[in-house]
Structure formats: C-alpha cells, structure tokens
C-alpha cells in the first residue's frame, strides 16, 4: 500500500509539472499501447513532428500573387485584312505624324502595314506591321483624336514640333525627327514649317548641331546622279533639299542621309532666306 501511495504522488507531481511547462504528452509514433491506449487496443499512429499552431488572421502572410509572364506577347488589335472605323482612326493618327500619306480608307492593307512598321522601327518596337497594344498606346500618346475632316482625308492636324532649346536663339533650321518637320526659326519665332524625310537605317541622317556650309540652287548628286534642287549642305554630303521622290512616294521611301523636303514652294522660299553659317539642329 505504501508503495502504491508513493507512485500516485509521483504521477500527480509529474502531471502538474507537464501542465505548467506547456507540454503535451504524445504517444510514440507507430507503437501500440500509448499512455491513453485502452488495454487490448492500438493507439493511432501520430507524427513525431509537432503540428505548428495556426497563425492569427491578422498576422497571416497572404500567398504571393502570380506575376505576369515576361514572355507574354502584346495583343494584336489590327493587322492586314482588318477593316472598320478603328483602322480609319489608326490611319488618321499616323497621318498626323507623317507616316501615312493616303486618304484614310478603313482598310488595313500593305500601305498601312508599311506605315506601322516604320513607326514601330523608329520607336524601337518589333517591326511586325501589326498594330498591337504597345504600338497603339505609343501612337495614342503622340497624337490627338482625329477630327471628322481628318478621318475623311480632307485635313491633317499635325502636332506642333517641340523646339529644341538650341533653336531658340539666332537663325536656325530646327529639324525634329520625332514629328518629321523642319521649322525655320529666327530668334525663337517660327517663320515656316514643312514636312521632311530622313535617311534609312543604313544611311542615317546625322543628329546634332551644324552650320550651313554652302548652298547650291540646281545641285545634282555626284554619287547618285540625282537632282538635289535648293540644296543647303550642313555636314559633308548631307544637305536639306527638295526631293521629287519624296513628293511622289511620301514616307514609303527614304533619303541617302539628306533631309528631304517635298513642298517645292516652301523649300524655294526657305532657300532664299537661309544664309551660309546659319545653324542646323537635328534632334529627336
């Protein structure tokens, strides 16, 4: 009896110690007859690794959000064969920045695809000729909503070229590659503006600040043997001059590095005003 009394006191003390220490008694995994097992039964197997407590709702870390795939291709909105008012708007917007010379038709043909490819290439985008979401957003940011006359091809409202700070003093041929325009600026005042075309990627028009070195009214290229009327040379063989090819084909062609003008009346008037030594600024 004394021995049983000692055992009972020892077990009671152990139980108190377990409760105050925050422990939980667990049966050995996979062994029959654990502490809570009844005679003749097998205790269910339990993992030897404690189950972590569930986190509070406020402290739980939400699962990470799935990131969009970097390789996802932009959605194509319009491509060859597309038709409708959205295509007409695309053509009118391209016309605003000099990439589309025809009357908007609402039909996405080879001319529109070439215009889109040129626009994409100048902005470092893949030159697919298809109007995807990236191309469309870039075009929207550079143009304004076309008017009814623009959609009908009766008028083109080109955004005014933002003058480079180097153009604000003196006499300057201020040439923007972004809007593809030449502005004749005298002491910060724009006297005239005209469409221009540049060289291809293989014969690029140089950028920077130059001066008109010499002028030639009826010049003919000694390299390509083509007429270059009203030529105003600013960097080696590169000059601002009238181009009959630009007048006929528009932006479907390119120069060999010169700055082409397609309005003969405007370039003739400009030629009469520009002097040797006047600055030429070409920029994006």
């Amino acid at each position: 009896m004394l021995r049983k009394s000692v055992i009972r006191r020892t077990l009671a003390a152990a139980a108190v110690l377990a409760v105050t220490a925050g422990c939980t008694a667990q049966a050995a995994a996979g062994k029959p007859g654990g502490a809570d097992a009844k005679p003749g039964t097998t205790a269910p197997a339990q993992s030897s690794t404690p189950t972590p407590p569930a986190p509070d709702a406020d402290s739980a870390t939400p699962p990470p959000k799935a990131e969009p795939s970097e390789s996802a291709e932009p959605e194509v909105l319009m491509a060859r064969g597309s038709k409708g008012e959205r295509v007409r708007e695309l053509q009118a917007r391209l016309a605003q920045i000099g990439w589309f010379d025809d009357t908007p038709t609402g039909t996405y043909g080879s001319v529109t695809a070439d215009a889109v490819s040129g626009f994409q290439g100048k902005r470092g985008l893949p030159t697919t000729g298809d109007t995807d979401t990236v191309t469309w957003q870039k075009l929207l940011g550079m143009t304004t909503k076309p008017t009814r006359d623009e959609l009908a091809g009766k008028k083109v409202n080109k955004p005014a070229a933002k003058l480079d700070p180097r153009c604000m003093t003196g006499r300057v041929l201020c040439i923007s590659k972004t809007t593809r325009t030449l502005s004749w600026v005298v002491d910060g005042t724009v006297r005239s503006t005209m469409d221009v075309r540049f060289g291809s990627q293989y014969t690029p028009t140089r950028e920077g600040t130059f001066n008109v070195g010499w002028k030639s009214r009826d010049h003919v290229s000694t390299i390509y043997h083509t007429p270059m009327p009203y030529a105003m040379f600013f960097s080696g063989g590169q000059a601002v001059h009238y181009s009959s090819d630009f007048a006929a084909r528009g932006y479907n062609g390119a120069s060999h590095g010169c700055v082409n003008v397609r309005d003969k009346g405007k370039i003739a008037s400009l030629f009469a005003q520009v002097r040797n030594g006047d600055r030429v600024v070409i920029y994006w």
Side-chain angles (χ1 to χ4, degrees):
M1 294 295 293
L2 180 59
R3 184 178 179 183
K4 290 182 178 180
S5 177
V6 171
I7 292 173
R8 289 194 190 99
R9 288 196 298 270
T10 302
L11 290 175
V16 171
L17 180 61
V19 171
T20 57
C23 299
T24 301
Q26 296 187 6
K31 291 185 179 181
D36 295 330
K38 295 180 180 179
T41 66
T42 302
Q46 299 186 31
S47 171
S48 61
T49 303
T51 302
D56 295 336
D58 292 339
S59 63
T61 302
K65 295 182 179 179
E67 295 292 335
S69 173
E70 294 182 359
S71 61
E73 295 293 331
E75 179 187 357
V76 175
L77 304 176
M78 293 168 276
R80 293 166 181 82
S82 299
K83 294 183 179 182
E85 289 306 308
R86 198 177 195 184
V87 176
R88 192 184 300 274
E89 179 183 350
L90 166 70
Q91 294 166 336
R93 286 181 180 273
L94 287 169
Q96 289 181 5
I97 52 176
W99 281 104
F100 189 80
D101 293 326
D102 293 347
T103 299
T105 61
T107 299
Y108 204 120
S110 59
V111 173
T112 303
D114 289 344
V116 171
S117 293
F119 174 81
Q120 291 170 326
K122 289 295 185 181
R123 273 107 201 136
L125 303 175
T127 55
T128 62
D130 298 337
T131 303
D132 55 34
T133 50
V134 175
T135 302
W136 183 242
Q137 289 302 316
K138 177 69 73 173
L139 181 61
L140 291 181
M142 296 180 60
T143 56
T144 59
K145 184 174 179 61
T147 64
R148 185 174 301 177
D149 284 345
E150 286 184 284
L151 293 172
K154 297 178 180 178
K155 184 179 180 181
V156 177
N157 294 322
K158 290 191 175 184
K162 184 178 180 181
L163 296 181
D164 187 279
R166 292 169 292 179
C167 301
M168 301 309 294
T169 57
R171 300 161 56 87
V172 190
L173 294 172
C174 197
I175 302 170
S176 168
K177 284 190 171 183
T178 298
T179 59
R180 296 203 281 187
T181 55
L182 181 157
S183 298
W184 171 230
V185 185
V186 179
D187 295 328
T189 300
V190 177
R191 299 291 181 87
S192 63
T193 301
M194 58 203 74
D195 295 337
V196 292
R197 185 178 71 172
F198 304 101
S200 69
Q201 60 179 321
Y202 305 107
T203 56
T205 302
R206 302 181 188 103
E207 298 160 21
T209 301
F210 312 93
N211 295 93
V212 175
W214 59 291
K215 300 164 58 180
S216 179
R217 167 65 177 76
D218 299 303
H219 193 79
V220 176
S221 171
T222 57
I223 299 176
Y224 302 105
H225 309 290
T226 54
M228 297 171 55
Y230 305 106
M232 294 170 277
F233 290 87
F234 60 85
S235 178
Q238 295 193 356
V240 176
H241 67 85
Y242 171 73
S243 168
S244 59
D245 182 75
F246 183 25
R249 300 173 57 205
Y251 292 101
N252 291 323
S255 75
H256 290 99
C258 289
V259 178
N260 290 166
V261 178
R262 61 179 168 186
D263 190 316
K264 198 169 187 177
K266 285 187 175 182
I267 188 68
S269 175
L270 180 65
F271 184 86
Q273 298 175 63
V274 172
R275 307 167 187 162
N276 289 344
D278 287 345
R279 265 181 299 143
V280 179
V281 176
I282 304 176
Y283 63 99
W284 281 100

